[in-house]
Amino acid sequence: MTHRATRHGIAVGAATAAAALTLLSTGTAHAAPDSVTWTDRVASVTRTVSDASPKVGDTITVTTKFERSTSPDLQLNWVKDFHDACLTYVSDSAKLDDGTGAKGVEPYLEIRPGFIAGDFMATSYRVFVKAAAPVTFTAQYTVGASCTRGTPLSSGTSYLGSLGKGDYNSYGPFITVAKDSDGGGGVSTGSLGSLLGTGSSK
């Protein structure tokens, strides 16, 4: 009987530990992607951020997709990606994908505190947005400690192409840096110890 009681206790302890670890992993899985789409006379534009509520120190990916449904093709001359100055561009992360594979944009990339700008007329390749063949411009940023917590930070894009120009420097998506906490709602070590029954004894 004693042996059975011991085994039952181990089983309960293992189940509790599994539940606690589930809570811990759920708390830290905070990524919340967001996107916004609009259409002008030149193209349909979709901007997506991999995490709209990041923490300080996180790296986020921003993707801008250009699409056309009819001819003629749109040749992109340059694209600007606007972001809050508290976000730092990740070196060599800017890429252009026209359906034939991702291409680097540097060294033809202007990097400023509030935006980056890719000059495709200076690159060795040309960029065409064709009907049913979208083009995406992607870049990564690190969230800095100077970012205001809990306040939406605007972002956007502007571009110039063979069919015209578009200025949408604050169309979004908006990014709201999480306020300081225990790491995004995770279970603290002390709480985990209590759940597992390994906390300090009375």
Side-chain angles (χ1 to χ4, degrees):
M1 294 295 291
T2 303
H3 182 62
R4 285 186 178 181
T6 302
R7 293 189 62 185
H8 178 68
I10 291 174
V12 172
T16 304
L21 290 174
T22 299
L23 285 172
L24 182 61
S25 61
T26 301
T28 55
H30 68 283
D34 194 16
S35 64
V36 60
T37 299
W38 67 89
T39 300
D40 61 18
R41 65 183 182 84
V42 175
S44 176
V45 184
T46 300
R47 280 177 53 80
T48 303
V49 60
S50 61
D51 190 353
S53 56
K55 303 188 306 296
V56 170
D58 284 354
T59 296
I60 60 175
T61 301
V62 178
T63 302
T64 304
K65 180 169 67 174
F66 299 90
E67 297 177 281
R68 279 185 61 76
S69 58
T70 61
S71 297
D73 299 342
L74 163 65
Q75 180 176 2
L76 285 177
N77 298 340
W78 55 257
V79 171
K80 282 187 178 180
D81 192 82
F82 292 92
H83 59 273
D84 193 278
C86 74
L87 302 179
T88 301
Y89 167 70
V90 176
S91 180
D92 293 325
S93 68
K95 305 294 180 184
L96 189 287
D97 193 337
D98 60 0
T100 62
K103 303 175 178 64
V105 181
E106 296 184 35
Y108 307 106
L109 185 72
E110 182 180 3
I111 303 172
R112 297 295 180 91
F115 70 85
I116 61 172
D119 181 1
F120 305 121
M121 299 305 290
T123 61
S124 60
Y125 54 86
R126 294 295 177 263
V127 180
F128 292 93
V129 183
K130 303 178 181 182
V135 167
T136 57
F137 179 74
T138 304
Q140 293 184 325
Y141 302 93
T142 300
V143 180
S146 63
C147 289
T148 302
R149 316 296 201 275
T151 300
L153 307 176
S154 66
S155 69
T157 189
S158 67
Y159 62 90
L160 175 65
S162 57
L163 302 180
K165 180 181 180 181
D167 289 304
Y168 308 102
N169 59 2
S170 61
Y171 267 47
F174 291 86
I175 300 165
T176 302
V177 179
K179 295 181 179 180
D180 295 334
S181 63
D182 63 356
V187 180
S188 67
T189 304
S191 299
L192 182 59
S194 298
L195 287 170
L196 297 177
T198 57
S200 57
S201 58
K202 295 182 180 179

